Amino acid sequence: MKAYTKQDFPVADIRRFLEPGPIVLVSSARNGETNIMTMGWHMVMEFVPSLVGCYVWSENHSFDMIRKSKECVINIPTVELTPKVVGIGNSSGRETDKFARFGLTARPGTEVKAPLIAECYANFECRLVDASLIRKYSLFVLEVVKAHVATSPRYPRTIHYRGDGVFMISGTNSSRYRKHFRPGNL
Ligand SMILES: Cc1cc2nc3c(=O)[nH]c(=O)nc-3n(C[C@H](O)[C@H](O)[C@H](O)COP(=O)(O)O)c2cc1C
């Protein structure tokens, strides 16, 4: 296999290559108010307990809603919801009821007060379990305490942000390399 020809690349833009986990919608509730934000910067941190690290910018209305209620739901939208995902990311819950404006259905969770978004493929109810990195990095360490996942399709068409207004839509799956895996890594 031949080596790639490369050029210098701005370090501030390398996120374009690292970001493409699915874009998620994070819903929250506090003092009778609900909200939704669009999020691309998240990472799995542990299997058991099921930990996810999320970057929430301090200027976002969701920042205090999640920090103070210590709860949220990570919802996984599919490609049909892309216009709403962008609209939710373009607006702030300070001025808008995003469930009403974007025609999304809030369903109660079982473990947290934050609502699930019914139109999303999966909903992960989360509790804030470590707030120590919020001040320095705006990093919320969340534990998924309950997960609701659609029965089909098995592989949803999720959207993955590549920066500069470009989404990659998940497509082809391959099990071709599965036999080479160490079982513990599956
Ligand atoms: C594709 C996309 C990805 C985004 N990723 C993040 C993110 O990872 N963290 C974040 O704080 N804001 C992110 N944003 C911006 C927020 O969604 C946006 O600021 C939103 O309006 C916040 O809503 P709120 O003020 O109601 O909380 C993203 C926006 C878009 C469109």
Side-chain angles (χ1 to χ4, degrees):
M1 200 173 144
K2 123 176 168 5
Y4 290 96
T5 304
K6 288 167 199 152
Q7 60 186 356
D8 281 350
F9 191 82
V11 290
D13 290 339
I14 58 100
R15 65 184 183 88
R16 292 185 184 174
F17 302 99
L18 294 179
E19 258 171 356
I23 286 291
V24 300
L25 294 174
V26 179
S27 47
S28 52
R30 186 170 172 258
N31 295 339
E33 182 195 350
T34 60
N35 194 26
I36 317 174
M37 68 169 281
T38 300
M39 172 184 289
W41 292 4
H42 55 76
M43 66 178 290
V44 173
M45 294 177 70
E46 181 58 282
F47 288 102
V48 182
S50 175
L51 300 184
V52 180
C54 290
Y55 170 86
V56 183
W57 186 35
S58 57
E59 298 286 306
N60 286 347
H61 189 51
S62 301
F63 181 89
D64 264 351
M65 290 192 64
I66 302 170
R67 192 171 63 92
K68 292 186 175 161
S69 68
K70 299 187 167 55
E71 294 178 347
C72 65
V73 177
I74 297 174
N75 305 271
I76 313 281
T78 45
V79 63
E80 302 76 21
L81 287 177
T82 308
K84 294 180 198 280
V85 166
V86 175
I88 288 165
N90 281 343
S91 54
S92 174
R94 269 186 208 96
E95 299 98 39
T96 319
D97 172 348
K98 297 198 209 177
F99 274 96
R101 174 155 167 209
F102 295 100
L104 294 169
T105 314
R107 291 259 162 80
T110 57
E111 302 295 322
V112 303
K113 292 200 181 75
L116 318 186
I117 303 175
E119 290 80 4
C120 285
Y121 176 85
N123 318 99
F124 306 144
E125 298 185 38
C126 297
R127 286 210 187 94
L128 177 63
V129 289
D130 189 343
S132 64
L133 298 171
I134 295 178
R135 208 165 139 49
K136 188 164 182 193
Y137 294 112
S138 284
L139 186 71
F140 289 59
V141 180
L142 304 170
E143 179 179 350
V144 179
V145 291
K146 177 84 186 169
H148 312 259
V149 177
T151 48
S152 77
R154 183 160 180 196
Y155 298 110
R157 298 189 74 212
T158 47
I159 59 171
H160 304 247
Y161 194 51
R162 306 195 97 151
D164 199 29
V166 177
F167 287 100
M168 172 179 75
I169 299 158
S170 67
T172 317
N173 298 295
S174 171
S175 308
R176 199 171 148 191
Y177 306 99
R178 195 173 193 278
K179 58 179 176 291
H180 302 300
F181 272 70
R182 201 155 53 88
N185 282 344
L186 282 170

